[in-house]
């Protein structure tokens, strides 16, 4: 099956302004912040790709580049057969019909001065020729689908609880029946007790409506539940990518191993590998040459200074590490 | 709070933001009193021909320069015109001109400020430098210069007052825009496919309104004062029409001869009205901005 979304070599760098960086540039040093540096992945119809990594590793920038909320510096994003990075004007607005996003903070993402109906209806108003009564019916339907019901249409954001707000955000994202939805940490601002219900809702919507998700999170447990495949990001690049089960059973990249070993296990008797990295994440202004993890990795070897591409270590299991498969 | 699925029934009577504001307003007698002053003045201005005891233009040499009597409660001027009736009729100009100029400045300032704040970059730079150029002149000197250059018709006075106010609104809205354009709901509006103008007009501007209302109310007082001062100097409303500033000016020439009622009453009316606008502005600021509550 051809992928629904295909991302190749996506990069985004932010130039630094001011006198200091200008002098550095004259001395031939790199002074841009490379937030995303050559990211590639694809997502099949109906599939959920999990994107995990620490805060600041570029996950959200990837999401914003896909939707063109941020202009990528280079690379290609194809949805079906449309090159998203080249769209502009009304064609870009039509793209929003097929590609949507659910934001992290459900409160900040809702306009305090618009009713739920106005907000959920807006995509229909902008992208369809439906009349007022048809739009009304669609909004009522989608509110039911996200577990709220038509009664909520007249409310304003401040009259809703956190979970209800996130349901409204989800309703707004799926009202035009998009094929692809980016979920940017949709549960991290919610109480733990609400998370599982939102996750179950997202999973049910995916099945019923044939959606594909890019699920961004730093919550390993929810990724494990929701994602079919997982990509691990570190410092702007994907370092490992595999089927979810394979990745959790057999993490190959040292960064992935460190990430997984940091997840608490709710069992006092559980024993497992402790794998810790040294130091802090380096600044994305000066990313180490070769392997990005080189300075922090307990296994680092001289060869790690060489550039390291993603290679297929096992069928469907891609990893960017020189040491994998060499004992 | 319970989550979604179990839909809570809405309270039978929903308290809108207006109702909440009214409750807080009732606990603030100063603002309420100032609001009362403006409401009474507006009613009087609208009903001027009914309320005024005499025709404001009718002269009667027999009672010229009469001190307040039971017939002419606030006395008469050189031509024997009833001062109370003139003050009542003047309220029309003295309310409508500040209101029209403030409204014009508000709309124009909001649009330019929104453009400046939302677009940023060189557009913002150019607009801000122009705003600074206008603000470099003291507002009253600028108003004097403009009326002197344009001529003092009512339309020109409105225009002048609007021009002196516009930069303030541009700055205010620009600042608010810089704040709200970074909100996630602005990004959400873009994600949903709104064109830029719709993001600004439908999603962002309504969220900038509270400080705008405060500024506009304060500006009404300032505009009234500026207009009265212009008239006082002979650059504003011209004599046959009644206007408080112009009446004060005429009264001032009688100060040495002892006809005190001619300058005291118009002056008092101006003072009371400007004070009322300022008090409402202050009160609104407290009402609309929770951070300001309890500061004073």
């Amino acid at each position: 099956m051809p992928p629904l979304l295909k991302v190749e070599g996506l990069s985004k760098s932010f130039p630094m302004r001011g006198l200091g960086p200008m002098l550095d540039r004259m001395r031939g040093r790199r002074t841009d912040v490379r937030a995303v540096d050559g990211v590639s992945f694809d997502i099949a119809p109906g599939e959920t790709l999990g994107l995990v990594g620490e805060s600041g590793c570029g996950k959200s920038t990837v999401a914003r580049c896909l939707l063109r909320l941020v202009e990528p510096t280079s690379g290609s994003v194809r949805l079906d057969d449309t090159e998203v990075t080249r769209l502009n004007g009304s064609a870009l607005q039509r793209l929003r019909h097929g590609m949507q996003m659910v934001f992290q903070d459900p409160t900040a993402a809702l306009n305090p001065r618009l009713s739920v109906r106005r907000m959920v209806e807006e995509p229909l108003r902008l992208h369809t020729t439906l009349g007022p009564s048809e739009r009304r019916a669609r909004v009522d339907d989608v509110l039911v689908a996200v577990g709220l019901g038509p009664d909520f249409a007249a409310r304003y954001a401040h009259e809703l609880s956190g979970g209800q707000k996130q349901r409204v955000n989800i309703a707004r994202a799926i009202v035009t029946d998009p094929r692809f939805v980016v979920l940017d940490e949709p549960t991290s601002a919610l109480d733990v007790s609400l998370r599982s219900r939102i996750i179950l809702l997202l999973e049910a919507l995916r099945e019923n409506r044939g959606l594909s998700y890019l699920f961004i999170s730093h919550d390993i447990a929810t990724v494990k539940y929701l994602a079919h495949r997982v990509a691990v990001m570190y410092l702007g690049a994907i370092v490992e990518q595999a089927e979810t089960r394979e990745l959790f059973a057999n993490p190959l990249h040292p960064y992935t191993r460190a990430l997984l070993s940091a997840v608490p296990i709710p069992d006092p008797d559980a024993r497992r590998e402790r794998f810790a990295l040294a130091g802090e994440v380096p600044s994305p202004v000066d990313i180490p040459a070769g392997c990005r993890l080189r300075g922090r990795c307990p296994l680092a070897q001289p060869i790690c200074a060489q550039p390291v591409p993603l290679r297929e270590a096992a069928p469907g299991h891609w990893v960017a590490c020189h040491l994998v498969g060499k004992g | 709070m319970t989550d979604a699925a179990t839909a809570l029934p809405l309270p039978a009577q929903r308290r809108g933001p207006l109702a909440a504001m009214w409750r807080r307003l009732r606990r603030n007698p100063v603002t309420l009193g100032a609001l009362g002053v403006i409401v009474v003045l507006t009613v009087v201005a609208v009903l001027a021909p009914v309320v005024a005891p005499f025709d404001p233009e009718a002269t009667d040499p027999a009672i010229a320069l009469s001190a307040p009597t039971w017939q002419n409660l606030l006395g008469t001027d050189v031509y024997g015109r009833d001062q109370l009736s003139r003050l009542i009729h003047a309220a029309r100009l003295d309310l409508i001109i500040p209101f029209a100029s403030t409204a014009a400045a508000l709309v124009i300032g909001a649009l330019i400020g929104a453009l400046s704040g939302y677009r940023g970059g060189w557009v913002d730079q150019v607009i801000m430098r122009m705003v600074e150029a206008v603000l470099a002149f003291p507002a009253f000197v600028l108003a004097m210069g403009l009326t002197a250059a344009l001529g003092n018709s009512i339309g020109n006075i409105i225009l002048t007052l609007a021009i002196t106010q516009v930069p303030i609104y541009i700055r205010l809205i620009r600042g608010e825009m810089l704040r709200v354009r970074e909100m996630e709901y602005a990004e959400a509006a873009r994600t949903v496919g709104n064109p830029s103008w719709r993001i600004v007009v439908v999603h962002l501007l309504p969220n900038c309104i509270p400080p705008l209302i405060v500024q506009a109310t304060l500006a009404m007082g300032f505009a009234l004062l500026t207009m009265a001062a212009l008239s006082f100097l002979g650059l504003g409303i011209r004599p046959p029409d009644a206007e408080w500033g112009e009446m004060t000016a005429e009264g001032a020439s009688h100060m040495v001869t002892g006809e005190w009622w001619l300058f005291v009453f118009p002056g008092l009316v101006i003072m009371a009205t400007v004070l009322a606008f300022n008090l409402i502005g202050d009160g609104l600021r407290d009402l609309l901005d929770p951070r300001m509550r309890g500061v004073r």
Side-chain angles (χ1 to χ4, degrees), chain A residues 62-74:
Chain A
V62 168
R64 282 168 172 72
C65 283
L66 297 188
L67 286 152
R68 291 277 302 277
L69 294 173
V70 161
E71 289 301 316
T73 312
S74 64

Side-chain angles (χ1 to χ4, degrees), chain A residues 140-217:
Chain A
D140 290 348
D141 284 350
V142 83
L143 286 176
V144 171
V146 297
L148 287 174
D151 298 354
F152 282 82
R155 295 202 189 181
Y156 287 82
H158 67 93
E159 299 170 307
L160 302 174
S161 71
Q164 291 167 346
K165 283 178 199 164
Q166 197 57 300
R167 284 171 196 260
V168 172
N169 278 307
I170 294 169
R172 173 169 59 184
I174 64 171
V175 71
T176 54
D177 276 326
R179 306 186 55 196
F180 174 64
V181 179
V182 175
L183 307 169
D184 187 6
E185 310 219 14
T187 57
S188 59
L190 300 177
D191 287 349
V192 178
S193 58
L194 292 175
R195 276 186 200 167
S196 58
R197 303 173 73 166
I198 294 290
I199 294 293
L200 289 174
L201 169 69
L202 288 168
E203 184 59 9
L205 290 172
R206 187 188 63 78
E207 273 174 17
N208 299 338
R209 300 184 166 235
L211 300 170
S212 296
Y213 290 146
L214 175 65
F215 181 70
I216 296 174
S217 184

